[in-house]
Amino acid sequence: MARLLRDNDYLRVIQSDNLAQIIESNQQTKLDVEQSAQSEMISYLTQRYIVNQIFTDTKVFDVTATYNGKQLVEWTATAFSDATVYTTSQFVLQAGYIYKSIAGSVAHAFNAAEWTQICLDKTLFYVTLPEAEYSNTTTYAINDVVYYNNIAYTCLISTVGILPTNTQFWSTGSAYTLTATYPDDDTKWTEGDNRNQQIVMYLLDTTLYHLHSRINPRNIPDLRKERYDGNNPTQNGGVISWLKKVASGDITADLPQILPEQGLSIRWGNSNGSTTKTSNQLW
């Protein structure tokens, strides 16, 4: 299963020494519980949203790897060494920043005049799509290009509300990938974190709740219970309440939705218009 979270994400909600204590300094325990928490969230979202576009891998950048559109990476570099001869355009890590060599030099101490500072170590970048993503409310003309599920499609017949997978209206499409391009190329990469931050926070809350539960289910801190299930038997609050409302159609999350083959978005809710969701339907 893809791993959405980074280790640094936990610092948003818990101090590193406290986290080390509840996982007993066992990183595998954290990863195992994190994956279980991710599966729990997916079970609520999978009927309405494209979960493999939400819970994506956040990988360390590798110039030899091939990346899909919107793929998120964490960029780091090898530490600078005064015993190494560097060539033009090489990258190094120095004092917490990634630098790019302006010109080759003999081995000597770091000289900032010979380098261009690029970004902080472990800065996030994602692959920029060369064209806009498909929208089922946009009218497309012949030869318009869109991206849908990381495939580039060309419009064959002017249309609106028909998925690019329909070969009567769209070309068969081709995958968009990127390789051998460093993140400092801003024509191919965008600096920033394109994960849904609400999902990131809720996944952290769910993971930490279950980590505490693993230690002593009867002594989970109130803060963790509050953020997970509202700290009450009906689970009215926190992550669980939000997930239930999303699943029932009471809330529409800002996430990639599963679209019908033709027409507007699927609408979720009670067809009789009442506020009591006893018979959720699609229409």
Side-chain angles (χ1 to χ4, degrees):
M1 183 187 297
R3 186 191 182 210
L4 180 70
L5 296 181
R6 302 187 301 155
D7 290 340
N8 285 347
D9 290 329
Y10 284 88
L11 299 179
R12 306 183 190 189
V13 292
I14 189 171
Q15 294 181 354
S16 56
D17 55 344
N18 292 337
L19 178 61
Q21 183 177 5
I22 64 172
I23 67 173
E24 298 173 307
S25 298
N26 187 332
Q27 292 299 313
Q28 190 59 50
T29 296
K30 181 183 71 176
L31 294 175
D32 290 344
V33 174
E34 183 184 301
Q35 291 286 279
S36 296
Q38 189 165 300
S39 294
E40 181 179 6
M41 293 185 66
I42 287 172
S43 70
Y44 286 93
L45 299 173
T46 190
Q47 295 300 318
R48 297 185 61 195
Y49 298 98
I50 307 173
V51 293
N52 65 355
Q53 292 183 18
I54 301 168
F55 297 94
T56 55
D57 271 320
T58 305
K59 298 181 178 180
V60 176
F61 174 74
D62 179 354
V63 72
T64 66
T66 298
Y67 296 103
N68 295 321
K70 301 172 67 177
Q71 174 69 58
L72 186 67
V73 299
E74 180 182 87
W75 193 16
T76 189
T78 302
F80 174 83
S81 170
D82 58 10
T84 300
V85 176
Y86 292 100
T87 58
T88 303
S89 298
Q90 276 192 277
F91 294 93
V92 299
L93 180 63
Q94 170 66 17
Y97 285 87
I98 295 174
Y99 286 85
K100 184 177 183 178
S101 175
I102 297 172
S105 64
V106 298
H108 58 65
F110 185 81
N111 181 355
E114 299 173 349
W115 301 84
T116 298
Q117 188 182 96
I118 303 298
C119 62
L120 283 166
D121 184 33
K122 298 183 179 179
T123 293
L124 295 175
F125 292 83
Y126 59 91
V127 178
T128 307
L129 290 176
E131 302 287 347
E133 289 190 272
Y134 169 77
S135 168
N136 67 333
T137 60
T138 299
T139 300
Y140 294 103
I142 295 174
N143 293 326
D144 282 349
V145 179
V146 299
Y147 279 85
Y148 179 72
N149 285 347
N150 201 53
I151 304 293
Y153 295 92
T154 301
C155 185
L156 303 176
I157 301 173
S158 181
T159 184
V160 60
I162 296 179
L163 284 185
T165 50
N166 187 320
T167 55
Q168 180 181 349
F169 292 86
W170 298 88
S171 68
T172 54
S174 58
Y176 177 69
T177 59
L178 182 66
T179 190
T181 305
Y182 282 94
D184 69 318
D185 184 345
D186 60 10
T187 68
K188 303 293 184 182
W189 293 90
T190 298
E191 181 178 341
D193 186 350
N194 64 350
R195 298 174 299 174
N196 181 288
Q197 296 304 303
Q198 186 175 25
I199 292 294
V200 171
M201 185 62 68
Y202 283 164
L203 182 52
L204 288 167
D205 288 337
T206 303
T207 302
L208 288 171
Y209 172 86
H210 289 305
L211 283 170
H212 280 285
S213 178
R214 168 184 165 272
I215 298 171
N216 186 347
R218 297 183 179 181
N219 194 30
I220 301 172
D222 286 344
L223 171 64
R224 297 302 165 206
K225 291 191 288 186
E226 184 73 29
R227 293 176 69 94
Y228 174 69
D229 64 4
N231 198 11
N232 61 72
T234 62
Q235 296 186 320
N236 183 25
V239 179
I240 294 300
S241 178
W242 183 83
L243 288 170
K244 287 179 177 179
K245 290 177 181 177
V246 168
S248 67
D250 289 338
I251 292 176
T252 297
D254 183 20
L255 300 169
Q257 296 186 54
I258 297 172
L259 299 175
E261 289 294 325
Q262 184 170 334
L264 299 179
S265 300
I266 297 172
R267 182 176 179 181
W268 288 71
N270 192 335
S271 60
N272 64 20
S274 69
T275 57
T276 302
K277 305 292 191 205
T278 56
S279 179
N280 290 320
Q281 300 179 20
L282 299 178
W283 75 92

